[in-house]
Amino acid sequence: MGNTGTLITPFYDSLLVKVTASGRSFPVALQRMARALKEFRIRGVKTNIPFLENVLVNESFRAGLGTTTLIDTTPRAVSFQRPP
């Protein structure tokens, strides 16, 4: 990704970084994604990592029932508080 010392303005591309996870089962993929997000280090710009962590602990999402309405129906998902 980019050169050391590169300036990223507040108007940076929201696809600055992507992360994916896979596993032999959905629970394994969830566990790997949670670990990847926990270990991510991005400095200088705000990220949506807390939101993604909240989605990963959502019971409906974990049960494979997450839909595009998850954000609308789950206020905690957008509270941007790290899960316990």
Side-chain angles (χ1 to χ4, degrees):
M1 187 193 123
N3 299 326
T4 302
T6 300
L7 176 64
I8 301 172
T9 71
F11 308 105
Y12 72 96
D13 184 345
S14 61
L15 295 177
L16 180 67
V17 177
K18 290 183 184 180
V19 61
T20 60
S22 63
R24 290 186 177 258
S25 66
F26 189 54
V28 171
L30 289 174
Q31 182 180 18
R32 289 178 177 173
M33 179 57 75
R35 180 175 178 175
L37 292 173
K38 183 178 180 181
E39 294 178 0
F40 240 87
R41 297 295 176 259
I42 300 175
R43 291 177 176 80
V45 295
K46 291 183 178 183
T47 71
N48 66 345
I49 290 174
F51 164 73
L52 296 173
E53 290 173 326
N54 287 343
V55 170
L56 289 177
V57 298
N58 178 274
E59 291 180 25
S60 293
F61 185 82
R62 295 185 70 82
L65 303 173
T67 68
T68 56
T69 63
L70 182 70
I71 297 169
D72 296 330
T73 60
T74 311
R76 185 183 184 286
V78 292
S79 68
F80 298 102
Q81 296 175 1
R82 292 191 177 267

